[in-house]
Amino acid sequence: MVERKKVTIKDVAKASGLALSTVSNALSGKNYVKEETRKLVDETARKLGYRASAVARALRMQRSFTIGVLIADVANPSSADFVRGVEDVAIREKCTMLLCNTDEDEERQILQMQTLYDRQVDGMVLISQHCESPRIRALLDGGTPYVLVQRRSSKWKDDYVGSDNQEGLAEAIRHAHALGHRRVGFVTGPLESSSARERLETFKQESARLKLSQSKSMIFEGRYTFDSGLAAGKYFTGMKNRPTCVLASSDMNALGFMQVALEEGLRIPQDVSVIGLDDISLAGLKSINLTTIQLQKRDMGAAAAELLMKRIRKPAKVGKPIILPTRLIIRGTTASPVAGGGKPDGN
Amino acid sequence: MVERKKVTIKDVAKASGLALSTVSNALSGKNYVKEETRKLVDETARKLGYRASAVARALRMQRSFTIGVLIADVANPSSADFVRGVEDVAIREKCTMLLCNTDEDEERQILQMQTLYDRQVDGMVLISQHCESPRIRALLDGGTPYVLVQRRSSKWKDDYVGSDNQEGLAEAIRHAHALGHRRVGFVTGPLESSSARERLETFKQESARLKLSQSKSMIFEGRYTFDSGLAAGKYFTGMKNRPTCVLASSDMNALGFMQVALEEGLRIPQDVSVIGLDDISLAGLKSINLTTIQLQKRDMGAAAAELLMKRIRKPAKVGKPIILPTRLIIRGTTASPVAGGGKPDGN
DNA sequence: TTGTAGGCGTTATCAT
DNA sequence: ATGATAACGCCTACAA
């Protein structure tokens, strides 16, 4: 472990007897460098173990080959897949990823965004983040490219990648209706989020169309978290005339609801059906087996990164939103609301 | 969205009528700057919206305030908690985090490590990563501080943060023994990992001490993944004289095993008990309710980052390994191996 | 207490 | 085809 001094391009120049700029040209593949010279340069660079400093390069080129990614919380199963999608293309594009957890906290988000700008990220991907408040708007409008994912602004036009908040959800409601449910509860996401509002809207429309109970009490205002699911569980199971099926706007939510329902001695799906939204990888486990609406998170992440790269390379006006389809995955938490019965397993 | 030009320290100097270096001194809180001058500088900096370029600073100071974090896969529930722990202290230390997924692939790990070095990270945290092969060793020995987590080298002395692979595990085995299990199966982790080897060793010792079946067939060589758990499930449930309790070296493993067991129509824990290791957040769900050995992942991540910061500030010889305790969390997947019975719930 | 000048390691421009 | 030189934006001796 000899603490060798860092070898710079200067060292390569010296060792190869060439000018610094020639070495740079050779290394960055300029076509007017003599083949022989290039060979020599490559060789000595390799021999000395030279690696270009990304920092110096970033300063000079005003391009850091780094993108920032904002998520609520890595430790939340539904965040991570998005990140994977982003990383897939980041690697391909020789970019690295600065990942920040914001915990849905606006102040924290602002801080993180500032840090990202300080680092001169070439762009950033905001997954389910705040995007309306003046301070955040000011940051966004600074000129650095960005793409919003899963939450967009109604007041502003931004590049956006999201999921269809109609089709899959409507399908789920029809599924519940077809099973015979007439009282279907809905757990909303945080209503400052566009996706949450869109989902709620779809729920209202479709449940009205199918003549499901329109009672206000069937709607619980929540967030996309497990804890919020617990609260929803307490709310719905405590009702006099409780829903026979609960539709949650996220899987974490659904799991929270199930937790309480099971603790209350309710059987799923015999006593109450549950439908999630997201399809986190664990939803498919035999012991959970959650009927849910699938989001293509990794694909969304990749699409967002792809779009971001395009904007980084060539700034352009905001294009059409990219909306990925969703679909219902029927598993074991939904069944007919027959008292004391229904099939125990959806498969 | 006026694409304003970036404001540099020069602009602040000009606007405040002071010299560039004075501004720099004022901003970086040198104590020999007149209070009045500092006020002026702060004021104009704020007015112009000046933010120091982290890139330029990194180049000049040879310190990027960035640390690299290598994990197997963010989308794996057990990776994310570590990351959270690292981030907790990174933020406090005004560092940002470059996160890389290696998928346990050595080639990929090498690539990522090189990128990290190119970016001049101040240090890096390697969570369950390769640390023995010559090429990786060469990278590690380049002089940049690093801390290994959950996997260490037997041949080399490195800074290390890990979990106690004896106590919690031994406790689990005693638990199984106390319930009456005599045939306890064990699913190992990847044996190139030190933690996996340590766990296997503990299993062998403790199961010998308690006179559990010492049949070779009780040990399945796996990895820390869900898929590997599936394989283990197929292996164990297919045996003539199968174990009455299976101890997995990770929760993902355990879930995979449970998946197959349930598909085979086995009831858990009546027909077969299962114990995991990790305590991922979903393990506590009513519908999973996995008895498991808890790892303090977030704490480990934080401890590793803390140690790394110390090394960055002042390089020093490798210290004592930091080993965090583990403990058994008894939930519902373990019970006595009484045919057709046992209590259905561990609580 | 403030100002001047040099350099961190690149790439880009312009001669040669 | 190659080479000298000037930035990029900041920090830090050292000089005033």
Side-chain angles (χ1 to χ4, degrees), chain B residues 166-197:
Chain B
Q166 291 222 340
E167 189 39 40
L169 187 49
E171 194 183 346
I173 298 169
R174 290 196 299 270
H175 169 61
H177 177 264
L179 286 172
H181 294 280
R182 292 301 175 265
R183 298 180 60 76
V184 175
F186 186 73
V187 185
T188 77
L191 292 179
E192 72 266 25
S193 162
S194 62
S195 65
R197 286 195 306 271

Side-chain angles (χ1 to χ4, degrees), chain B residues 29-47:
Chain B
K30 295 285 189 294
N31 54 340
Y32 48 75
V33 180
K34 213 196 302 176
E35 194 50 43
E36 193 188 312
T37 322
R38 169 169 340 226
K39 276 271 187 339
L40 174 62
V41 169
D42 284 352
E43 180 61 19
T44 49
R46 205 187 46 64
K47 202 149 39 188

Side-chain angles (χ1 to χ4, degrees), chain A residues 47-151:
Chain A
K47 202 148 40 186
L48 297 184
Y50 168 74
R51 303 228 97 215
S53 155
V55 174
R57 175 178 289 159
L59 179 59
R60 177 61 237 236
M61 307 216 296
Q62 297 293 58
R63 171 117 162 63
S64 64
F65 289 90
T66 303
I67 63 175
V69 181
L70 263 54
I71 60 179
D73 179 11
V74 241
N76 184 320
S78 60
S79 300
D81 286 325
F82 284 104
V83 175
R84 239 6 240 274
V86 174
E87 199 205 24
D88 288 340
V89 348
I91 287 197
R92 177 158 56 61
E93 300 279 341
K94 309 220 171 304
C95 283
T96 55
M97 216 177 48
L98 244 20
L99 186 71
C100 305
N101 299 108
T102 62
D103 293 325
E104 303 214 26
D105 180 67
E106 187 168 325
E107 218 45 54
R108 212 177 136 127
Q109 183 184 336
I110 291 173
L111 241 54
Q112 307 265 35
M113 287 179 71
Q114 277 169 338
T115 324
L116 290 177
Y117 287 129
D118 291 350
R119 310 249 155 184
Q120 252 132 271
V121 291
D122 298 333
M124 76 199 217
V125 176
L126 293 89
I127 299 168
S128 302
Q129 299 294 310
H130 295 281
C131 58
E132 303 249 23
S133 86
R135 292 168 67 202
I136 292 198
R137 249 6 264 197
L139 254 14
L140 287 177
D141 293 345
T144 303
Y146 62 89
V147 175
L148 304 184
V149 178
Q150 284 288 77
R151 184 189 300 192

Side-chain angles (χ1 to χ4, degrees), chain A residues 302-316:
Chain A
E306 211 89 66
L307 179 52
L308 183 65
M309 291 302 162
K310 214 191 300 186
R311 294 286 180 259
I312 290 173
R313 273 192 288 268
K314 187 149 67 80

Side-chain angles (χ1 to χ4, degrees), chain A residues 122-255:
Chain A
D122 298 333
M124 76 199 217
V125 176
L126 293 89
I127 299 168
S128 302
Q129 299 294 310
H130 295 281
C131 58
E132 303 249 23
S133 86
R135 292 168 67 202
I136 292 198
R137 249 6 264 197
L139 254 14
L140 287 177
D141 293 345
T144 303
Y146 62 89
V147 175
L148 304 184
V149 178
Q150 284 288 77
R151 184 189 300 192
R152 58 181 149 187
S153 167
S154 48
K155 307 200 204 70
W156 307 74
K157 268 283 181 204
D158 306 296
D159 278 313
Y160 177 73
V161 173
S163 55
D164 181 349
N165 286 315
Q166 291 222 339
E167 189 39 40
L169 188 48
E171 194 182 345
I173 298 168
R174 290 196 299 271
H175 169 61
H177 177 264
L179 285 171
H181 294 281
R182 293 301 175 264
R183 298 181 61 76
V184 175
F186 186 72
V187 185
T188 77
L191 292 178
E192 72 266 26
S193 162
S194 62
S195 65
R197 286 195 306 270
E198 290 168 26
R199 287 167 193 172
L200 175 58
E201 202 42 50
T202 302
F203 173 75
K204 282 181 176 166
Q205 280 177 17
E206 196 66 11
S207 70
R209 198 179 68 76
L210 292 173
K211 310 240 190 306
L212 304 182
S213 162
Q214 294 296 295
S215 162
K216 276 263 178 204
S217 66
M218 287 293 110
I219 294 176
F220 179 86
E221 195 167 319
R223 335 204 80 243
Y224 294 137
T225 62
F226 182 78
D227 285 346
S228 167
L230 293 178
K234 273 167 205 136
Y235 170 74
F236 280 127
T237 62
M239 285 176 61
K240 252 202 296 285
N241 199 3
R242 62 175 169 74
T244 59
C245 175
V246 168
L247 185 41
S249 0
S250 84
D251 279 4
M252 290 309 285
N253 250 310
L255 291 176

